[in-house]
Amino acid sequence: MTIRITGTGSALPEKIVTNFDLQELVETSDEWIQKRTGIAERRISTGETVSTLAARACERALEMAKKTADEVDLILVATCSPEQLLPCCACQVQDLIGAARAAAFDLNAACSGFLFALNTAYAYLQTGIYRNALIVGSEVLSKLVDWSDRGTCILFGDGAGAAFVEASVGEVLRGNGRKAGMECLFQGSDGAKGAVLSCEERPVANAFLSTAKTGNPYIQMDGQEVYKFATKQVPACIQEALDKAKLAVDDVDWFVLHQANVRIIESVAKRLRADIARFPMNINRVGNMSSATIPVLLDEWNRSGRIKEGDRLVLSGFGAGLTYGASVLVW
Ligand code: UT7
């Protein structure tokens, strides 16, 4: 038994913010941002929320999978920027799309969130508890960004992506002889390095404390440490997943990586000795949308017909936690 992605969808806010717009806010330049990150513009919410973006992405994924909302068994939303602590975003999405039968909950593994949600759905579907799941990465990071900090505000964007996954009971053999579905996964965490990328929410405060602590509610990042972690850990975990599946780098058609920085992706390609043309990218248009980057890119590549049946994909995420992982699947 395995699982297959049978529909993808995405949703981005209307408003485009260019590097030139950011030049008006902080001391930076389009040239610096493009050279150091590969980003030219990003989408920023003017009212779209994590749940409304997620719901739109889910509706598109369901439409592609030719399923109705009342057929959905499970909704998993990966987010680190929900509007509300309660109820969780997945329950809001359930209500917005009318998936009354579904169980729904959120999961937070920052930029690895979509990947970890996919792996969680894999476990549920493999054990037969559910037959299908809507998995979503959705973020409105613009409210967590300190717009006076040029070290972080140039990186992030808002958006959502979703995938509909179904249990695949019989073998689905593709034209190239590969069996469609998830082949292997690897995921890891390093909580000891949590401080290099963090965002406080509510420090301890209650009626029995005389002085409440005040926290910094904005994203704080040691960019170079995150960079070092990503360029070392991502190729290592991709290699680990491929080894588990007894596959080589050359057996992979597409490496769909978390879009954090073009230089990180280029470095991963180099370390794996893989052609950079096999690493889809959209970071120049959308920036780093944390958990939403992988599903948005997957949807764009899928809808444009660049991913074909039988293609083997490696999805790999990394981010705050620190968290990292890779999943191998045949489309
Ligand atoms: O999902 C995971 C999220 N995070 C990441 O993936 C972050 C990974 N890290 C990175 O992408 C890079 O470290 C950054 C893009 C954040 C920074 O690039 P860098 O090449 O590591 O630059 P740096 O921090 O070493 O800074 C180089 C210089 C510094 O000036 P001095 O000290 O050399 O005079 C910075 O103050 O660039 C300066 N700088 C800027 N200049 C113009 C930092 N930010 C900016 C800016 N515009 N926005």
Side-chain angles (χ1 to χ4, degrees):
M1 216 293 287
T2 185
I3 65 165
R4 285 188 301 125
I5 295 177
T6 54
T8 58
S10 55
L12 299 174
E14 292 288 311
K15 186 174 174 61
I16 296 172
V17 171
T18 67
N19 292 344
F20 297 100
D21 295 324
L22 295 181
Q23 282 179 203
E24 307 295 315
L25 286 183
V26 289
E27 204 183 317
T28 190
S29 65
D30 174 59
E31 194 199 348
W32 191 96
I33 302 172
Q34 296 238 26
K35 200 164 152 222
R36 300 281 178 135
T37 69
I39 301 167
E41 58 188 44
R42 70 287 290 143
R43 300 297 183 97
I44 297 293
S45 169
T46 52
E48 297 93 343
T49 67
V50 172
S51 55
T52 58
L53 289 168
R56 268 169 44 207
C58 284
E59 282 165 351
R60 287 171 185 159
L62 284 176
E63 194 185 359
M64 187 187 285
K66 298 190 173 54
K67 295 284 174 189
T68 54
D70 57 8
E71 292 176 89
V72 178
D73 287 347
L74 175 69
I75 302 172
L76 283 179
V77 176
T79 184
C80 58
S81 55
E83 266 70 43
Q84 298 179 204
L85 286 179
L86 302 170
C88 69
C89 178
C91 286
Q92 294 174 308
V93 171
Q94 178 201 28
D95 184 40
L96 286 167
I97 67 172
R101 279 185 50 250
F105 64 91
D106 288 2
L107 175 158
N108 178 359
C111 308
S112 309
F114 176 81
L115 194 76
F116 281 28
L118 174 69
N119 297 339
T120 305
Y122 182 41
Y124 270 113
L125 270 54
Q126 251 200 338
T127 51
I129 295 173
Y130 297 118
R131 290 163 309 157
N132 67 55
L134 259 176
I135 49 170
V136 192
S138 185
E139 307 286 0
V140 175
L141 297 171
S142 54
K143 63 181 182 239
L144 303 182
V145 164
D146 176 353
W147 289 100
S148 65
D149 175 14
R150 68 177 184 172
T152 52
C153 76
I154 51 128
L155 286 177
F156 299 105
D158 302 335
F164 187 71
V165 294
E166 297 183 61
S168 183
V169 183
E171 266 182 20
V172 177
L173 209 58
R174 296 304 192 200
N176 57 5
R178 292 177 180 161
K179 287 177 205 154
M182 188 94 136
E183 295 186 305
C184 188
L185 66 92
F186 176 81
Q187 50 187 33
S189 308
D190 185 359
K193 299 219 178 76
V196 301
L197 181 48
S198 66
C199 182
E200 287 187 23
E201 183 151 49
R202 292 189 186 200
V204 178
N206 57 52
F208 308 97
L209 271 182
S210 49
T211 49
K213 239 183 90 191
T214 49
N216 181 341
Y218 299 116
I219 292 173
Q220 296 164 73
M221 182 178 75
D222 181 336
Q224 290 193 353
E225 280 304 313
V226 179
Y227 191 95
K228 274 192 252 165
F229 149 72
T231 49
K232 187 166 159 243
Q233 199 66 68
V234 175
C237 77
I238 290 176
Q239 195 60 61
E240 187 96 23
L242 290 175
D243 289 349
K244 265 171 110 176
K246 298 192 171 45
L247 292 167
V249 167
D250 285 346
D251 295 322
V252 179
D253 299 290
W254 301 111
F255 293 88
V256 182
L257 264 53
H258 169 51
Q259 305 283 293
N261 187 322
V262 167
R263 289 191 292 138
I264 293 177
I265 298 169
E266 286 169 350
S267 164
V268 173
K270 207 168 159 193
R271 283 190 192 218
L272 289 173
R273 296 200 176 84
D275 183 354
I276 190 71
R278 286 151 64 198
F279 290 70
M281 290 189 230
N282 63 359
I283 187 173
N284 62 321
R285 287 182 289 110
V286 291
N288 177 347
M289 301 179 292
S290 189
S291 69
T293 63
I294 293 176
V296 169
L297 183 58
L298 200 60
D299 183 47
E300 289 180 2
W301 231 250
N302 184 26
R303 274 175 198 270
S304 60
R306 280 170 281 189
I307 300 176
K308 306 229 172 347
E309 284 188 355
D311 281 357
R312 180 174 281 115
L313 275 62
V314 166
L315 311 183
S316 182
F318 56 92
L322 298 169
T323 56
Y324 50 92
S327 298
V328 186
L329 56 97
V330 171
W331 203 254

